[in-house]
Each structure stands twice: as structure tokens, then as C-alpha cells.
């Protein structure tokens, strides 16, 4: 029995004894026991730039349109210089820019003032470009494990982060977009690992321009429940990443473990209207693995 199954069965047992409310019992129901997509909402799928096959960005957009993918998540590095190109390529297509995936230099929790200043400058440049492209937000991580020297993991540091994010979020709002906090697994980031932690920072920042996201691959290692993780974000949830659950390949490449129905059920119940964006590699031919991944996640979305 894996940890998720153990927790689910434990909650069911407590609920059956009359200790937990019926609503929580329903929330602990095993994934896939629903009668189908009750909301009628279609999943809004986005691709990062490296997902679709094609030699040029135009080729990739052709593939995306042919497969009903309407969202594009570019990397933020050098984005200011690409705004015109991206706008031109998308002007006659049914594809829109979704989130911007990082791309800044430095990091917000840097001890070194020059490194922090570099973050402030490059992040704001990306935010301005994101606003011009109609993006829902710029994805950021407070600090990766490899980024040193970093402020210590203390309450004082958290207070500082909240203050800095509130300021950054206000700047993002003035540019028609937001910042999106992404929790990572502990092998990549020590500071922010669970969706609920990111949501609590958003609440404390008290700024509509500070939001968060969930990444199914990182959640595999850090969350006991996809359903609970997404619900913990509440109104602050702005974006979702998806990949296979073991090796971060296309959904389906890790076999039966690539089950997203628990998380999809939460997103539908929450009325989530954001994007589910592919952030993954592949061990096969993209002409085959990408369509197969799309078919898998769409079928799971409809089944919950």
C-alpha cells in the first residue's frame, strides 16, 4: 500500500465511524469513481516551447493547433526581445500566451546585494514583456538549492519574502499580469516545497498579483494528496504543470503511475479555469508520444 492509499483508507475509516463530516468522506473517495466530468469544462492545455515537434516556432504552433492545444508557455529569458515575433506568429492563430516560465537571473532570497539587484531588474523586464503578451503570470522560485549564499530558512526570511513579493506583485498588477510561486521537490529547492506553503505566502502578501501553482511531478514527491494540494491553494491557484510521475517524461510514459484524476477532480470542483501546461521531456518520438499524452490526460479529465 502506498502512502496515498494509506491516508485515503485511514480517512475513510475515521469518517465511517462518524468522526468526519460526509463532505470529507466524499473528498477521500478513490480517484476515478466519479460519473464523468460533471462541470462540462474542457481542460485548457498549454505547451512549453520544447514540447511540440517542429524545427521552427511556426511549425510547433501548426502542430499545436492540429491537436487542439491553445496555450503557449514561453521561457522568460530574452523575452523582451521576442514580444514582436510571438505576437506576430499568434496573430492569426487560436493560441494564446499562458504563463512565462522564469528566465530571470539572480534570485529573490540572495544574500549578495548584486545578485538580488540582478533578480529585481531582470524579473521586472520579464514582467513587462509578460504583460504585453497578455500572460497570466511569471513563474518564479524563491531559491534553488544550488543558489548560494541564500538567506537562512527563518521566520525573518519568510517575512522578508512576503514583503518583497507584495511589492513585486503590485508591479505585476500595474503591467496586467502576476507572479506565480512554484513549489519544487526537496531535491531542487529547500524553501518552498508544498502548494499549501505557497498559498500561505500568497495570503500573507495580500496582493492579487502574488499567486501560486502546482506541478504534478513535484507534487508526486512532496504531497500526500493531489486533491488536497490543489484545494489548499484555493483562489490563489493560477497555473498547473504536468509531466509523467516518475521520470518527468510525457504523461503516460511511466505507465499506470501516471494517474492525474485525483488532482483533476479537485480542479473541476474548484472551478479552475487556468491552464494545464506540459513541462517534460520524452524518451520517444514526439510525433507519437505527445499525441498519446494528450489523449491520456484528456480521457482522465473527462472520466473524473
Amino acid at each position: 500500500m502506498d502512502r496515498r492509499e494509506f491516508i485515503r483508507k485511514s480517512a475513510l475509516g475515521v469518517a465511517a465511524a462518524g468522526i468526519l463530516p460526509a463532505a470529507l468522506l466524499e473528498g477521500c473517495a478513490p480517484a476515478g469513481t466519479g460519473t464523468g466530468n460533471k462541470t462540462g469544462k474542457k481542460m485548457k492545455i498549454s505547451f512549453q516551447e520544447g514540447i511540440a515537434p517542429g524545427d521552427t516556432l511556426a511549425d510547433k504552433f501548426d502542430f499545436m493547433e492540429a491537436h487542439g492545444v491553445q496555450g503557449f508557455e514561453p521561457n522568460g529569458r530574452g523575452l523582451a526581445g521576442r514580444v514582436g515575433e510571438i505576437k506576430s506568429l499568434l496573430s492569426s492563430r487560436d493560441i494564446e500566451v499562458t504563463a512565462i516560465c522564469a528566465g530571470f537571473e539572480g534570485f529573490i532570497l540572495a544574500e549578495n546585494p548584486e545578485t538580488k539587484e540582478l533578480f529585481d531588474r531582470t524579473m521586472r523586464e520579464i514582467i513587462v514583456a509578460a504583460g504585453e503578451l497578455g500572460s497570466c503570470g511569471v513563474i518564479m522560485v524563491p531559491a534553488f538549492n544550488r543558489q548560494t549564499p541564500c538567506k537562512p530558512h527563518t521566520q525573518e526570511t519568510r517575512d522578508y519574502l512576503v514583503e518583497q513579493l507584495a511589492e513585486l506583485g503590485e508591479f505585476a498588477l500595474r503591467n496586467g499580469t502576476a507572479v506565480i510561486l512554484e513549489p519544487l521537490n526537496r531535491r531542487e529547492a529547500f524553501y518552498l516545497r508544498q502548494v499549501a506553503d505557497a498559498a500561505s505566502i500568497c495570503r500573507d502578501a495580500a496582493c492579487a498579483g502574488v499567486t501560486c501553482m502546482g506541478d504534478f511531478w513535484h507534487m508526486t514527491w512532496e504531497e500526500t494528496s493531489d486533491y488536497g494540494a490543489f484545494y489548499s491553494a484555493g483562489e490563489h491557484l493560477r497555473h498547473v504543470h504536468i509531466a509523467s510521475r516518475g521520470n518527468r517524461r510525457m504523461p503516460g510514459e511511466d505507465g499506470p503511475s501516471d494517474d492525474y484524476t485525483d488532482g483533476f477532480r479537485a480542479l473541476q470542483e474548484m472551478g479552475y479555469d487556468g491552464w494545464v501546461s506540459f513541462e517534460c521531456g520524452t524518451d520517444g518520438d514526439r510525433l507519437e508520444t505527445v499525441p498519446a499524452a494528450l489523449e491520456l490526460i484528456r480521457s482522465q479529465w473527462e472520466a473524473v
Side-chain angles (χ1 to χ4, degrees):
M1 183 184 302
D2 63 25
R3 61 178 182 171
R4 297 181 187 214
E5 184 67 4
F6 172 78
I7 290 168
R8 183 186 70 79
K9 288 190 174 181
S10 298
L12 285 171
V14 174
I19 300 172
L20 294 180
L24 184 54
L25 175 60
E26 181 180 351
C28 292
T33 58
T35 57
N37 181 0
K38 299 179 181 66
T39 66
K41 280 183 175 290
K42 294 293 183 183
M43 186 193 311
K44 293 167 59 177
I45 299 174
S46 169
F47 278 0
Q48 288 189 341
E49 194 160 346
I51 300 298
D55 295 328
T56 67
L57 193 52
D59 291 340
K60 295 174 186 292
F61 287 158
D62 287 342
F63 179 92
M64 289 164 62
E65 284 192 312
H67 291 83
V69 177
Q70 297 177 302
F72 171 56
E73 181 185 318
N75 187 273
R77 189 171 298 277
L79 186 65
R82 302 182 64 202
V83 169
E85 173 201 9
I86 294 172
K87 279 187 171 182
S88 176
L89 285 173
L90 294 182
S91 62
S92 60
R93 297 178 184 270
D94 188 21
I95 298 174
E96 62 185 273
V97 174
T98 60
I100 308 299
C101 188
F104 48 83
E105 299 178 64
F107 60 108
I108 197 169
L109 292 181
E111 286 274 24
N112 185 296
E114 289 77 16
T115 303
K116 173 59 164 55
E117 189 280 330
L118 183 62
F119 166 81
D120 290 336
R121 176 170 52 81
T122 57
M123 181 65 171
R124 280 164 171 74
E125 289 173 356
I126 296 169
I127 287 173
V128 171
E132 292 179 17
L133 289 168
S135 166
C136 64
V138 180
I139 298 169
M140 63 167 288
V141 174
F144 286 89
N145 290 338
R146 66 178 183 274
Q147 292 179 311
T148 57
C150 181
K151 291 185 179 297
H153 190 69
T154 64
Q155 182 64 49
E156 183 179 11
T157 296
R158 188 184 185 282
D159 293 342
Y160 169 82
L161 177 61
V162 167
E163 175 186 298
Q164 291 292 304
L165 285 171
E167 181 180 319
L168 194 61
E170 290 294 342
F171 179 81
L173 285 178
R174 292 196 295 272
N175 284 276
T177 187
V179 295
I180 306 173
L181 289 173
E182 180 177 18
L184 306 182
N185 73 76
R186 67 195 63 199
R187 289 173 293 181
E188 295 187 32
F190 76 95
Y191 193 85
L192 187 65
R193 300 198 306 267
Q194 292 189 313
V195 176
D197 293 332
S200 71
I201 291 172
C202 294
R203 285 191 290 271
D204 289 349
C207 172
V210 181
T211 67
C212 66
M213 63 174 289
D215 182 312
F216 275 104
W217 188 75
H218 291 296
M219 287 161 56
T220 301
W221 314 106
E222 298 296 339
E223 306 284 359
T224 56
S225 164
D226 295 338
Y227 183 95
F230 284 132
Y231 253 105
S232 73
E235 64 182 358
H236 304 292
L237 186 67
R238 180 61 63 96
H239 198 59
V240 172
H241 277 165
I242 196 167
S244 72
R245 311 214 68 156
N247 296 298
R248 212 175 191 179
R249 301 308 186 200
M250 292 293 160
E253 286 193 58
D254 284 334
S257 66
D258 291 344
D259 186 340
Y260 311 95
T261 50
D262 194 45
F264 287 167
R265 185 160 56 95
L267 295 176
Q268 290 187 32
E269 290 178 9
M270 293 166 64
Y272 175 72
D273 61 358
W275 297 88
V276 176
S277 191
F278 278 53
E279 184 182 54
C280 48
T282 185
D283 286 331
D285 183 343
R286 289 182 186 275
L287 289 170
E288 298 177 357
T289 59
V290 177
L294 288 169
E295 182 179 359
L296 174 72
I297 67 169
R298 282 171 172 153
S299 65
Q300 291 188 7
W301 178 269
E302 292 299 323
V304 299

